[in-house]
Amino acid sequence: MKNKELNEITINDTKSIYPCSGIDDDLLLFDKVEDMPFPNEPRRVRCILLALCVRGKAKYKVNTIEHEVHENDIIIINEGQVTDDYLISRDFKGIGMLISSEFFKEIIKDVHELSSLFIFSRKHPVCTLSKEEAENIIDYFRILKNKVEDESHHFRKETVRSLLTTMIYDVSNVIYNLQHYNDKKQTRAEHIFTDFIYLLEQNFKKERKVSWYAQQLCISPKYLSETIKQISHHTPNEWIDNYVSLEIRVLLKNSTKSIKEIAQELHFPNQSFLGKYFKEQVGISPSAYRKA
């Protein structure tokens, strides 16, 4: 039997088959999750899924592990995870959103604790909210939907980003409480992944070799690569490139620094080297990206 690549769940594909509010390929909002066309085969998620069960119950699998969802439960499915076997009750009602990995990383970029909490949620994709916490999420959703649909608002995307950031802080508080009161300890692989992400966030501007991170963690580069790939479905180099290219995009769009100054800040040998690197990662030159 030949190996078959898993189909994927992406924002672009989802909005082409399901009418919903959104912003470009960064965010989609669903006010009736129960009406979504759930796939009947395993799919790898290529974005972040946040959903809230408002009524009823549901079952689904994440990376082959079954989870049950009840009223006031929030569901978090991270980028790279595989979902399957969806089953919802007749009275199920829910709201949800898909957030692109890039948009999500922009939001949590400077807050190490948030990224660590969402790493924890990979193994704990269902969290139970209090009635008040669930009502807060519903309120956030309604405001977000209104802002997303207000295309005349000049700062529409920036406003949505700010609202989404605040909502994610509230969701992260729930994960924080679960993490600190959960009796299960991290596996060694999860611990290494968490430590790697922390090191990366602190050092990606000047350290981009897998061997350097392996040395700091007192393990071999091969073991680090195998572990990170196992936990996150991405290699250490892909994580490094993602952080570096995102930082370049942020600086190009949100600062007046020249490309030469950005190259110096991120410890590239020269401007030309940064330009070549950025084009390989993003597909266009830094100057073209800044003008876009």
Side-chain angles (χ1 to χ4, degrees), residues 3 26 35 58 67 72 76 99 103 124 127 197 203 210 235 288:
N3 290 329
D26 286 324
D35 291 340
H67 298 276
N72 296 336
I76 303 170
I99 311 169
F103 195 43
H124 305 82
C127 300
I197 294 297
N203 299 282
V210 175
T235 66

Side-chain angles (χ1 to χ4, degrees), residues 33-41 43 49 86-88 92:
V33 172
E34 60 273 16
D35 291 340
M36 288 181 65
F38 293 103
N40 55 13
E41 76 282 339
R43 294 285 183 98
L49 167 66
Y86 304 92
L87 182 64
I88 61 175
F92 179 85

Side-chain angles (χ1 to χ4, degrees), residues 71-88:
E71 184 176 334
N72 296 336
D73 282 350
I74 194 163
I75 306 111
I76 303 170
I77 301 179
N78 283 275
E79 197 273 340
Q81 294 187 308
V82 176
T83 63
D84 192 14
D85 290 348
Y86 304 92
L87 182 64
I88 61 175

Side-chain angles (χ1 to χ4, degrees), residues 21-289:
S21 304
I23 294 181
D24 304 324
D25 287 338
D26 286 324
L27 178 69
L28 287 184
L29 302 176
F30 310 95
D31 50 11
K32 292 184 178 180
V33 172
E34 60 273 16
D35 291 340
M36 288 181 65
F38 293 103
N40 55 13
E41 76 282 339
R43 294 285 183 98
R44 190 178 298 281
V45 179
R46 289 302 180 193
C47 46
I48 310 293
L49 167 66
L50 290 178
L52 176 71
C53 176
V54 177
R55 192 174 72 193
K57 62 182 180 179
K59 288 183 179 180
Y60 66 101
K61 288 182 180 177
V62 177
N63 290 350
T64 74
I65 298 174
E66 186 174 87
H67 298 276
E68 190 164 312
V69 179
H70 299 273
E71 184 176 334
N72 296 336
D73 282 350
I74 194 163
I75 306 111
I76 303 170
I77 301 179
N78 283 275
E79 197 273 340
Q81 294 187 308
V82 176
T83 63
D84 192 14
D85 290 348
Y86 304 92
L87 182 64
I88 61 175
S89 63
R90 290 185 178 182
D91 63 339
F92 179 85
K93 298 287 182 185
I95 57 174
M97 61 185 71
L98 295 180
I99 311 169
S100 74
S101 298
E102 292 74 19
F103 195 43
F104 180 76
K105 287 168 187 171
E106 282 182 25
I107 291 171
I108 68 170
K109 170 181 166 292
D110 295 319
V111 189
H112 161 66
E113 194 167 11
L114 285 191
S115 55
S116 297
L117 291 171
F118 272 81
I119 290 168
F120 176 79
S121 74
R122 285 180 175 273
K123 293 292 183 180
H124 305 82
V126 179
C127 300
T128 300
L129 307 184
S130 67
K131 184 178 179 180
E132 182 181 357
E133 288 170 334
E135 289 174 350
N136 284 340
I137 296 300
I138 293 170
D139 288 341
Y140 279 126
F141 184 89
R142 288 171 178 161
I143 297 171
L144 277 168
K145 191 170 185 292
N146 286 336
K147 293 301 179 184
V148 164
E149 293 177 351
D150 184 7
E151 296 187 7
S152 65
H153 196 305
H154 182 68
F155 299 104
R156 170 171 164 257
K157 189 170 183 178
E158 289 75 14
T159 303
V160 168
R161 183 190 286 112
S162 296
L163 288 167
L164 195 55
T165 301
T166 306
M167 189 199 77
I168 287 173
Y169 269 109
D170 273 358
V171 172
S172 296
N173 183 59
V174 176
I175 303 172
Y176 174 85
N177 290 331
L178 174 63
Q179 184 182 28
H180 282 71
Y181 290 100
N182 194 290
D183 293 328
K184 295 179 181 178
K185 294 183 178 179
Q186 281 188 323
T187 64
R188 174 163 168 74
E190 290 170 330
H191 186 69
I192 289 172
F193 180 51
T194 301
D195 287 348
F196 168 71
I197 294 297
Y198 177 75
L199 276 173
L200 180 58
E201 289 175 340
Q202 302 300 312
N203 299 282
F204 73 89
K205 290 185 178 182
K206 58 180 180 180
E207 301 292 348
R208 290 191 273 275
K209 290 184 178 179
V210 175
S211 58
W212 184 89
Y213 290 94
Q215 184 178 18
Q216 305 308 305
L217 296 170
C218 300
I219 57 178
S220 71
K222 181 181 179 183
Y223 184 58
L224 176 61
S225 296
E226 290 173 349
T227 302
I228 301 305
K229 180 74 173 178
Q230 172 197 336
I231 293 293
S232 70
H233 304 290
H234 291 289
T235 66
N237 277 322
E238 287 172 336
W239 278 102
I240 293 167
D241 287 338
N242 189 287
Y243 268 81
V244 175
S245 61
L246 174 60
E247 182 69 13
I248 297 172
R249 293 200 300 270
V250 169
L251 290 172
L252 287 170
K253 286 292 188 181
N254 299 291
S255 80
T256 57
K257 293 179 180 179
S258 67
I259 297 173
K260 181 179 179 180
E261 288 172 328
I262 295 173
Q264 291 171 342
E265 181 173 334
L266 296 179
H267 294 82
F268 280 91
N270 52 55
Q271 178 178 332
S272 177
F273 197 94
L274 179 142
K276 181 180 178 182
Y277 174 89
F278 188 79
K279 191 165 186 178
E280 287 176 352
Q281 298 298 320
V282 183
I284 60 175
S285 68
S287 57
Y289 182 84

